[in-house]
């Protein structure tokens, strides 16, 4: 599941000309400790309750303040694990999502992340994970899906991320509803797709348990 699929459409961004009073009122209304501030579709930073609550002049506009977490965001096509890690690392409840032009798309809340993790956890024990690397020009999920479905297997989830080893390639991570990857790997390799990693039920459960521990640690902060 990728970030743009988790954007919370119910929480609007603040503008630079909004006041401290409005920001605090919205935080209370939406039950969050931070809200994004946007100008001309560009993310300017987060207004935080901790920084605003003690200000004596609540008629100040946000443009008069130094916003926090200006460099904290995720791209729209990043996996929700990256959203979770950004929230945990920075101890924030909302994570801004940007597109390729660095334009603001929306935010994801920690509750949205928990819900996504619950959906992924429900799939554990039902299959395996396969990671492919390929040039971006060769990426075709429809073709890959067809090859996999011809082996009587379904793709339960998929996401694309940059290949850290080669800037001209991407990684495609697939969750499949089978534990036997032998024929699928053989088919994909026959069509010149390169398999870089595979995980069975046990390894995925270990990954999921680590992520769940991270979430619980965050919620205890």
């Amino acid at each position: 599941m990728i970030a743009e699929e988790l954007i919370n459409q119910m929480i609007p961004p603040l503008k630079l000309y909004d006041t401290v009073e409005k920001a605090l009122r919205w935080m209370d209304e939406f039950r969050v400790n931070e809200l994004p501030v946007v100008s001309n579709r560009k993310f300017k930073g987060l207004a935080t309750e901790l920084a605003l609550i003690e200000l004596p002049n609540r008629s100040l506009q946000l443009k008069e303040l130094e916003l926090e977490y200006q460099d904290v965001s995720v791209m729209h096509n990043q996996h929700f694990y990256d959203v979770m890690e950004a929230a945990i690392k920075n101890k924030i409840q909302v994570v801004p999502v940007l597109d390729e032009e660095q334009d603001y798309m929306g935010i994801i809340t920690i509750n949205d992340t928990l819900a996504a993790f619950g959906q992924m956890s429900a799939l554990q024990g039902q299959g395996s994970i396969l990671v492919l690397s390929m040039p971006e020009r060769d990426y075709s999920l429809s073709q890959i899906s067809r090859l996999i479905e011809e082996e009587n297997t379904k793709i339960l989830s998929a996401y694309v991320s940059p290949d850290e080893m080669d800037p001209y390639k991407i990684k495609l991570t697939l969750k499949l509803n089978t534990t036997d990857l032998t024929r699928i790997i053989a088919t994909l390799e026959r069509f010149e797709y390169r398999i870089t990693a595979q995980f069975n039920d046990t390894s995925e459960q270990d990954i999921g348990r680590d992520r769940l521990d991270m979430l619980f640690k965050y919620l205890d902060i």
Side-chain angles (χ1 to χ4, degrees), residues 17-30:
Y17 54 78
D18 286 332
T19 64
V20 170
E21 180 183 5
K22 179 177 180 179
L24 289 171
R25 186 172 69 251
W26 278 19
M27 289 178 195
D28 181 64
E29 180 179 344
F30 294 114

Side-chain angles (χ1 to χ4, degrees), residues 110-168:
I110 189 63
N111 287 336
D112 300 326
T113 313
L114 283 166
F117 185 87
Q119 292 179 29
M120 289 292 289
S121 296
L123 298 177
Q124 291 185 0
Q126 298 180 8
S128 300
I129 290 178
L130 198 60
V131 183
L132 293 72
S133 176
M134 68 196 73
E136 188 170 2
R137 66 178 181 274
D138 294 339
Y139 170 66
S140 172
L141 185 57
S142 60
Q143 180 185 18
I144 295 169
S145 298
R146 178 179 58 79
L147 295 173
I148 290 174
E149 288 174 358
E150 287 177 354
E151 300 297 335
N152 298 315
T153 299
K154 293 187 179 298
I155 297 177
L156 299 177
S157 64
Y159 71 93
V160 177
S161 60
D163 190 331
E164 299 89 350
M165 304 301 295
D166 189 334
Y168 299 102

Side-chain angles (χ1 to χ4, degrees), residues 53-112:
I53 195 71
E54 299 298 333
L55 291 176
N57 184 1
R58 297 195 173 181
S59 64
L60 284 173
Q61 293 184 334
L62 297 177
K63 66 180 181 180
E64 302 176 69
L65 306 175
E66 183 174 353
L67 300 172
E68 300 180 69
Y69 305 104
Q70 297 179 24
D71 298 325
V72 178
S73 63
V74 296
M75 295 297 293
H76 70 102
N77 58 353
Q78 286 185 256
H79 193 260
F80 83 91
Y81 281 165
D82 297 317
V83 181
M84 182 168 60
E85 289 173 352
I88 293 168
K89 179 180 178 181
N90 294 283
K91 300 181 181 180
I92 53 179
Q93 290 186 340
V94 302
V95 179
V97 181
L98 310 181
D99 65 14
E100 286 88 351
E101 304 299 323
Q102 297 297 301
D103 287 341
Y104 175 83
M105 294 180 65
I107 58 167
I108 301 171
T109 71
I110 189 63
N111 287 336
D112 300 326

